[in-house]
């Protein structure tokens, strides 16, 4: 009942200004995706409604003459669509609701948002950045509260109100801190969206608005990512720092000096992290042996139908799921099982197109952001964070120079 009311409240603004509120909802997509039950998913329903609104208002939204053939990710879009379609219809394991939801959430949402951005970059990219700024403060402020108090009453509340579906309430202490998940379902999700927000807001701070509020938020995003205790997230964050190095100048040298100083001050903390990365058995959670076992199981299931996989959602279905696959510690594990070779080729094509896009936009430093996401999604599972949304943050960063901001 609570989710039905929430969904109605969120749908009403679509009738007022579809483009504006769709952009806002996409900025909060990771959080909205947490509100679901076996019968209803708030973000899924919003996405399907958005697709209907877009088709109904196509001429109005597409008034800028934006063509599908100009879509930067046309190739991977078509490959992913073909993979989802083949996995659903040609494997003898069709799930039509899952198929529609996957296509709409993974592909349609990104295309619609790109279309809206292209129509008015000044207005809608700025709106997305402002909305993300607010979302980042929510994640960081509550994440710090959670880390300090070692409690998470908000997740408990949503769970008791039947608004979150089986939340993973994290109580583990890692590297001396309670693993932060903030308002999200998983700590790895917080790490993933934290890195994306850090990269995008740093680009905005660097090029347009050097305000203290942005600087403090960037520091908190780094702290929150470390507080998740996700080794994959920490490695990805370190790689993402590469966007800072467009060249070697005074600013970069100062940044290196500050990083060295922080490392010296907190050496024992960083030594613990490095040690756990080298020896994954030293702390709880995923280990190298566990990941290897998951891949062996995935390969066995993959061999049943190597070309198109075993059907969307097969990994966690009763027919295929085993206890050893809990968490499926890599994007490629469910991809192998569910979508087979075509799915892996399509997913790989997406990441390659992201890297090519950086070069086409003459912003090679953004490749570090893409590489950080490849590492994160390859090393761990990131629930509620769809990998195709990486393009949204990449697009915003690549087009940051086109914005005009009043200081």
């Amino acid at each position: 009942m609570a989710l039905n009311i929430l969904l109605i409240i969120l749908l009403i603004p679509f009738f007022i200004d579809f483009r504006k509120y769709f952009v806002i909802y996409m900025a909060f997509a990771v959080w909205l995706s947490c509100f679901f039950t076996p019968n209803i998913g708030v973000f899924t329903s919003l996405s399907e409604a958005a697709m209907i609104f877009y088709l109904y208002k196509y001429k109005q939204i597409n008034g800028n003459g934006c063509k599908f053939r100009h879509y930067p990710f046309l190739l991977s879009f078509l490959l992913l669509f073909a993979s989802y379609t083949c996995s659903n219809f040609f494997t003898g394991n069709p799930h039509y609701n899952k198929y529609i939801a996957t296509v709409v959430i993974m592909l349609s949402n990104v295309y619609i948002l790109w279309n809206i951005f292209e129509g008015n970059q000044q207005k809608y990219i700025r709106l997305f950045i402002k909305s993300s700024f607010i979302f980042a403060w929510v994640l960081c402020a509550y994440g710090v509260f959670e880390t300090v108090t070692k409690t998470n009453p908000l997740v408990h509340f949503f769970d008791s109100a039947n608004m979150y579906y089986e939340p993973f309430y994290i109580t583990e202490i890692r590297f001396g801190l309670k693993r932060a998940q903030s308002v999200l379902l998983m700590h790895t999700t917080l790490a993933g969206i934290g890195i994306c927000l850090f990269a995008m807001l740093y680009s905005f701070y660097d090029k347009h608005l050097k305000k203290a509020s942005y600087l403090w938020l960037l520091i908190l995003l780094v702290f929150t990512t470390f507080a998740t205790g996700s080794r994959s997230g920490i490695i990805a964050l370190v790689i993402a720092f590469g966007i800072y190095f467009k060249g070697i100048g005074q600013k970069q040298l100062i940044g290196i000096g500050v990083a060295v100083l922080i490392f010296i001050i907190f050496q024992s903390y960083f030594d613990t992290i490095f040690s756990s990365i080298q020896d994954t058995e030293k702390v709880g959670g995923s280990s190298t042996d566990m990941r290897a076992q998951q891949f062996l199981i995935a390969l066995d299931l993959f061999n049943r139908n190597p070309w198109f996989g075993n059907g969307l959602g097969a990994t966690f279905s009763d027919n295929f799921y085993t206890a050893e696959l809990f968490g499926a510690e890599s994007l490629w594990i469910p991809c192998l099982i569910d979508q087979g070779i075509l799915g892996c080729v399509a997913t790989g094509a997406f990441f390659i197109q992201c890297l090519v896009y950086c070069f086409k936009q003459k912003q090679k430093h953004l490749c570090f952001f893409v590489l950080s996401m490849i590492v994160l999604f390859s090393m761990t599972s990131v629930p509620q964070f769809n990998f195709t949304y990486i393009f949204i943050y990449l697009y915003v960063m690549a087009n940051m120079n086109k914005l005009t901001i009043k200081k």
Side-chain angles (χ1 to χ4, degrees), residues 92-305:
N93 189 27
H95 295 280
Y96 298 107
N97 291 339
K98 175 70 173 177
Y99 170 70
I100 293 171
T102 300
V103 170
V104 170
I105 292 174
M106 298 293 287
L107 302 179
S108 173
N109 278 352
V110 181
Y111 177 74
I112 293 172
L113 188 61
W114 169 77
N115 212 301
I116 293 173
F117 283 160
E118 286 288 295
N120 191 333
Q121 290 181 330
Q122 284 290 330
K123 180 178 180 179
Y124 293 114
I125 289 182
R126 288 174 64 181
L127 176 62
F128 185 80
I129 292 172
K130 287 180 181 178
S131 302
S132 298
F133 177 79
I134 295 170
F135 183 39
W137 269 114
V138 171
L139 291 176
C140 291
Y142 191 71
V144 171
F145 167 81
E146 177 191 12
T147 301
V148 172
T149 63
K150 299 181 181 179
T151 60
N152 198 325
L154 199 56
V155 169
H156 274 305
F157 169 76
F158 288 137
D159 181 31
S160 61
N162 295 319
M163 298 176 75
Y164 275 11
Y165 178 57
E166 294 183 357
F168 295 95
Y169 181 62
I170 311 300
T171 58
E172 180 188 354
I173 303 297
R174 182 177 284 188
F175 309 136
L177 300 172
K178 178 196 177 297
R179 303 191 70 177
Q181 65 187 107
S182 190
V183 297
L184 307 177
L185 292 185
M186 283 289 286
H187 48 278
T188 52
T189 310
L190 178 59
I193 189 61
I195 295 168
C196 289
L197 290 170
F198 170 82
M200 183 183 70
L201 293 175
Y202 168 74
S203 297
F204 184 71
Y205 171 83
D206 183 50
K207 294 176 181 176
H208 293 293
L209 210 60
K210 288 183 169 60
K211 283 189 174 182
S213 58
Y214 276 86
L215 180 59
W216 279 110
L217 180 57
L218 292 172
I219 294 171
L220 285 174
L221 282 167
V222 172
F223 170 79
T224 304
T225 303
F226 272 91
T228 65
S230 169
R231 289 165 295 191
S232 305
I234 292 170
I235 293 171
L237 177 64
V238 172
I239 295 172
F241 284 152
I243 65 172
Y244 180 75
F245 296 96
K246 299 179 190 177
I248 300 296
Q250 183 180 3
K251 184 175 72 171
Q252 284 72 29
L253 292 174
I254 292 173
I256 293 172
V258 171
V260 171
L261 181 62
I262 292 173
F263 178 79
I264 293 173
I265 295 173
F266 299 100
Q267 185 176 356
S268 60
Y269 172 74
F270 289 112
D271 284 344
T272 304
I273 295 175
F274 295 146
S275 178
S276 72
I277 293 172
Q278 293 174 341
D279 183 358
T280 55
E281 301 290 346
K282 283 194 173 182
V283 295
S286 306
S287 65
T288 302
D289 290 342
M290 188 192 81
R291 286 185 168 93
Q293 186 178 16
Q294 287 183 344
F295 268 105
L296 288 175
I297 295 172
L299 286 172
D300 180 59
L301 297 175
F302 160 79
N303 286 328
R304 298 185 186 182
N305 194 343

Side-chain angles (χ1 to χ4, degrees), residues 261-387:
L261 181 62
I262 292 173
F263 178 79
I264 293 173
I265 295 173
F266 299 100
Q267 185 176 356
S268 60
Y269 172 74
F270 289 112
D271 284 344
T272 304
I273 295 175
F274 295 146
S275 178
S276 72
I277 293 172
Q278 293 174 341
D279 183 358
T280 55
E281 301 290 346
K282 283 194 173 182
V283 295
S286 306
S287 65
T288 302
D289 290 342
M290 188 192 81
R291 286 185 168 93
Q293 186 178 16
Q294 287 183 344
F295 268 105
L296 288 175
I297 295 172
L299 286 172
D300 180 59
L301 297 175
F302 160 79
N303 286 328
R304 298 185 186 182
N305 194 343
W307 289 106
F308 302 138
N310 297 284
L312 297 177
T315 302
F316 300 105
S317 67
D318 293 337
N319 293 332
F320 293 88
Y321 181 72
T322 63
E324 289 80 7
L325 284 177
F326 179 75
E329 296 291 335
S330 174
L331 166 69
W332 303 102
I333 291 175
C335 190
L336 276 169
I337 298 172
D338 296 358
Q339 299 166 248
I341 292 173
L342 181 56
C344 291
V345 169
T347 303
F350 171 80
F351 287 118
I352 292 171
Q353 277 205 284
C354 284
L355 292 170
V356 172
Y357 183 73
C358 297
F359 283 91
K360 283 186 175 180
Q361 296 297 312
K362 298 180 179 179
Q363 299 197 50
K364 292 181 285 186
H365 64 286
L366 294 180
C367 288
F368 285 103
F369 167 71
V370 179
L371 291 173
S372 73
M373 291 293 100
I374 293 174
V375 168
L376 178 70
F377 278 91
S378 297
M379 293 182 65
T380 191
S381 57
V382 193
Q384 281 72 56
F385 187 12
N386 306 301
F387 73 88

